[in-house]
Structures are given as C-alpha cells and as structure tokens.
Amino acid sequence: MTRPLPTEEFTPREGGIAARASALAGRNPFLDALNPEQRAAVETIDGPLLVLAGAGTGKTRVLTTRIAHILASAKARPWEILAVTFTNKAAREMRERVETLAGPGAEALQWLGTFHAISAKILRRHAELVGLKSNFTILDTDDQIRLLKQVLQAENVDDKRWPPRALAHQIDAWKNRGLSPAQVPAGEARSFADGKGGKLYALYQERLKALNAVDFGDLLLEALRLFRENADVLDDYRQRFRYILVDEYQDTNTAQYLWLRLIAQGRHNVCCVGDDDQSVYGWRGAEVENILRFEKDFPGAKIVRLERNYRSTGHILAAASHLIAHNEGRLGKTLFTEGADGDKPTVTGVWDSEEEARAIGEDIEQLQRKGQDLDEVAILVRASFQMREFEDRFITLGLPYRVIGGPRFYERLEIRDALAYLRCVAQPFDDLAFERIVNTPKRGLGDATLQVLHDYSRQASVPLTQAARVLVETEELKPKPRATLRNLMADFDRWRGLIDTTPQNELAELVLDESGYTQMWRDDKTPEAAGRLENLKELVRAMEEFPDLAGFLEHVSLVMETDEAADQRRVSIMTLHGAKGLEFETVYLPGWEEGLFPHQRSLDDNGRAGLEEERRLAYVGVTRAKRRLKIFFATNRRIHGLWQSTIPSRFLDELPASDVEVTEAAGASQYGSYGVSRFANMDSYGSSYSTPGWKRAQATRESARESGPAARRRAPLTIQGEVLAKSTSSSRFAVGVRVFHQKFGPGTVAAVDGNKLSVDFDKAGRKMVLESFVEQG
C-alpha cells in the first residue's frame, strides 16, 4: 500500500540534511564551478525545463548539481525527488556525485534509478491492483524464451519456423510502444505465426500472471496500466514527487514517454536532459520525437542549450556541427570550444579494407612511438563484421587491443559455430566441435542421442564421429535420429572430399548453406540476426587470404590464444552505437562508404528517418574524439560475398572543407579540392596499385595452393588406425548366447559381425546392437 503523504511543508530540521542544506543555500559553492549556461539550467528549478546538452558539454554535472541545489535550497526532501536514468551505472555515478556535493544525506534519494527499477518498486507497492503479488518474479531472457516455447507448442505453432526468440522480440517491441495484447493493431497481430501473433501475446501474458511473474517490458507496461486504471494511485505519485529529472531523454521509447507524462502532469516541475542529435537507438524503440515535442507536451517550457564543449578541439567540433546541421528533425544547437582549434580531422581513401586496417595499424604504431597512451585510442565501426580485419592486423603487428561491447570476432557465437563445422570437416575426430554443432541448427538430435553417442564413445575408446558411424548401422537409436545422424555423417564425408578440389572459402560457404546454418539465421527475426549473417560473410571472405583450410584454422587458433595482461594498455575497437558516452584522444572512423555508412538497411527500412539517424550516429562518432579524428573510406569492399566498387559516404561531402584535411596516403594528391565528387572519380592509386587488389590476392592464393601445405596432405592420424582395428576385432559373444540389453531386454545372439550383434530379443524382435551395450545373461 502507498505510504501516506506528509501534509506539512518542508522545514529544515536541526542536525539533518535539511539543516545542512539550508546553511548551504546562502552560498552554494558548487554553483561557482558552472558556466553561465549550466548555471541557468541548474537554477531554473520550477516549471518544465528541457536541457539540450551537446556532446561533451557537462550534462551529468548539470543533473547532479541541480539535485544538490534543490536540496540545498530546501525545495524538497531527498525522497521527494524522482531522478530517472537509463543504466544502473549512470544511476550509481549520479548518486555518488550528489553525495559529494550535498553530503551523505543524499543516500535518502530513494527514487533515483532506471525506468525499470523505479517501475518495479512502484509495482511491488501496488501489485494486487494489476493482478500480481508483491513478491512477483522478474523473468530473465532464458526463462522468457522457455515460457514462450511452451506457449507456441500449446498452440501447435512450428517453433522452427516461428522461433520463440523472434516472438520475444516482437512482444518486447509491442511493450516498448505501451501496447497490451488488446491494443496491438490487427495487421501487426496477424504478421506473426500466420495470424496468431496477437493471440500468442495474450496467452503469454496469461501464463505470466499465473506464475506471478513479469518480464522486463512488463515493468513499464504494468506500471502504465496501474496509473491509467487507478487515478488515486497516480495522484499520489504526482503529489509525492515535487521535482522530476530525466537523463538521456532522447533515448526514451513510447512506454517510457507515456509513463513520464502521466507522473509529470502533476506539479509540472520536470527537467529532461538530452541531445536530439545523439538519438541513435531507434532500432530498439527509442523515439527522437519525444524530445522534439517537449514544448508541446509541457506548455511554457524553458529550453537551455549547453553548447560549450569541454572535450574536443575546434576543428573537430566544427566538423561535427556542420555535419549534423544537414538533419531536419532537430531543435538546433552549435557546439563551440574556448580551447585551441587543434589538428584538422583527416579523410583518407584506401584501395580496400585490408589496406584500411594496415594504414590504421601503422598510424597507431607511430602515435605509440610518440607517447600516445593506447587506452586513449579507439576504432569505431558501423558494423561488427568490420572488426575482423583490424583484429587480424593487430595480431600480426603485436598491437594490443580490446573489443568493447561484445566478444572478439572469432569469439562470437555464430563464428564459433561456423568454425566448429569447418573443424569437423578438416579433422573428423574433433569431439568438441562435433558436439557443438551436431544439433545446430535443430535436427532432433537431442540430449538422449548425445548420451548414447557418449556412452559408446567411452566404452569403445573412439571419437564421437566414429561412434556415430557405428550407431547409425544398428538400432540403438530411434529411427528418426538415426536417419538424421546418418545423413549428417554423409554430408561431412562429402564436404571432406571437396577439400583438395575446392577453394576453402567456397567450401565454407557450401558447408554453411547445406548444413542449414545460414538459413537458420535468415529465418531468425531478432535484430541481431542481420549482423550475424554479415559476420559469417566476413568469415568466408577472410579465408581467401590463406593457402588452405588447415592454414586458416591454425591462424584462428593462434588468434584465440592471444591473451594480453589485464592491466596492459590497449586500443579499443567497438561499434559506433557502443561508443556513445565515451571519449578518446584519438578516434579512427573506417568504412565511410554508401551502403555501409549510412547503412543500406537503415535507408531501406526507414527512408529519411533512417538517414537522419545514421547521420546522428556519424555525429556521435566524430564527437568521441578529443584531439585527433581520422576518417577512412575504401574504394573496393566485399559486400554480400562479392567485391564491389564503393562510393564514398555522402557524409564526407557534408563535412566543412575548411576544417577537414585530405591526407596524402594512397595517392591523395590526385584528389584535387575536397568533396565527394572528387573521391568518387578516383581511377588509380599510383603505380603500386596497377593490379587490382582482388586479382593480386587471388594470384597469391593460387600460388600458395599449388606449393603450400594443400599440395602435400597429411597422412591419416594414428587414431584412425586404432578405430579401424577395433571395428574388426572379434566379439566376445557367440551365436546362441543369452544377453541382456537395457533398452530391449533379454534376448539370444543370432549372428555376430565384428562388434555388432544381431539379437533375437524376447519382446522387441531381432535388432542389431553393439556388443558394448549388452551383458551376458
């Protein structure tokens, strides 16, 4: 139940935080550290306020100082302030800063946290009003997927065609928009599972209620329902929170926006801090329109622009401001600095992605020799598949690096799966690889089948693949998994037979396609699927550089073994989305080409809105740099498995010529004046590039294939001889002997063929089994 609201006005109590705050109110020394714009944002306490905080302008300082100022001015007690952030890390940082300014009493900020954490707190106080108990469970992703799988099975929906993870993504998208099952538009409800999407959503919600559980999206959705259906509860919170502060307002989705509007319509003392130019999460539900319509939602709102940047040099800020000015959907601001102009950002054209990685690696080494701290160097890519080229190059150079926001390229799930397939092709007795992919994609070879394989493998001291070859000829396994396993082993035999005659990259593509692995990700409806497919294409492309499959797998093993010391300084590699909120002395932005950046999928799916979000992403990338910014584009890049001539990104033409320098690398002297039209018309890169890169690479590969390890294949491993020897050994059972089998019961041996027995079982009839699975009796 809701605690009763105090009716008395807030008056300082002797010895408490209020008394200390009152004493500070006369001087508030922390205000002296603010610039005029920041101070205006802090001191505008009453009424709606939108703080447009550009990159590097000190928005966190404004938020925390504003809370301290409210407390010091005796405007509210800590538990009467609602402060909402997007991450737990941001909430912790905010609380620590407020405590530094206002003292330990700031621990009483009970309502400082993420949207979801605060919603969970509210729901536990009023659980019965939304059909829950106060001790409800918040499901994690794995539990959610399991529950959805049960719902799909109950409705006889093929969960291979309509995976539960895809349904989870669809339901989460509906919840981000604040839509209950009854509110989902009919057209959208019919788009999943042949028209059953809406029904499945409703059934899922019913199961959640029966379990006294919610998922992550429900925390906001149920809070919205609570407020809409219980006016007294909503009014309670409207009166409770004298001041509301929201961080990163440009990243709010529809449900968060509605949640905030409902509460803020009480006292109207709401302050939202954000940057419309850094709204880059539309793909996960963020609505930039939320910040753009703030003045309409809260009439009479004041807008304070924070444009004084404390991070970047003048030329970098000029480039960022000129670029983002091409967006129409923005409120408008121009970053500036009182510091030096610094070095101009550079734009460098290279022949292909290999040269791009080489040029960046060499440039970083030069900076390192000059004393550059590698922790202050970052490479920001638009798509994760771009990372592979840099990782391989840095391994060659011995340049330490880290991948932030995700695993390294060869550690990604889809890459590990693909490598497991290739390892099984190259080395038939790799049990770990075989076990990883035997049922990926789903083939009906579950735990029971694997257990039988493992049992025989241990008893006969043979690898799993050899155990599979033996078991598919007997009846230890049920007919369906036995047939599936037989076909899989035949596939591996066929692929293995192509090693000597098929280029390894073509073989890899064939294996991934014929195994159904590529199709599995094509059918996946989650946002990650497209990136996983791009990574698989990049893996296939990477194999071209090696003489054979064995050489490539050895290279991967060496890369995976590289383990830098935890405290070693390293270059950071991450996506542009992952870089938001970070800053580095030196930033490299590779891949500025049409189709890659701006990404073609964004343009196709969202048109102008997609282009503007891509431009905001470019703006984020540029403003991560403090002193040096280096942009690269390639004239040739592998796209969907094919080499294509690429067009420089339109964003390059939107950078100001006076603040950007075209470097001399790769024949830049031929560019003439700055502009995309000049970049796009480059025909050559000097004498060293008279032979196209792809032809030179192909010639190298063919030469290596003729003279390298592929020309002298290794003899079969010793273990193969041991396996064959075991398969031809004599049996310890004779015809007529009584035996017992755990599955088929008692029977009589009718025939013996090596280690295989034909047994007339008393109840199951004649079956062929392995002698290791029976006991004499």
Side-chain angles (χ1 to χ4, degrees), residues 491-508:
D491 285 339
F492 274 116
D493 288 340
R494 179 164 44 80
W495 296 330
R496 202 167 292 124
L498 297 173
I499 289 180
D500 291 321
T501 59
T502 306
Q504 62 272 14
N505 59 304
E506 295 179 16
L507 177 60

Side-chain angles (χ1 to χ4, degrees), residues 149 159-160 421 437-445 484 515-516 520:
K149 187 171 184 178
D159 60 7
K160 293 181 181 178
Y421 269 106
I437 51 82
V438 68
N439 200 39
T440 304
K442 300 291 185 184
R443 300 185 175 92
L445 301 176
T484 301
S515 67
M520 179 186 78

Side-chain angles (χ1 to χ4, degrees), residues 98 104 145 166 235 242 245 337 362 378 388 415 470 476-477 568 597 656 663 727 729 768:
V98 173
I145 297 301
D235 188 63
R242 294 175 180 266
L245 300 91
T337 180
E362 291 172 354
R388 200 277 312 169
I415 300 303
V470 175
E476 305 287 345
L477 299 173
Q568 185 175 12
F597 195 37
T663 67
S727 67
S729 61
M768 180 174 286

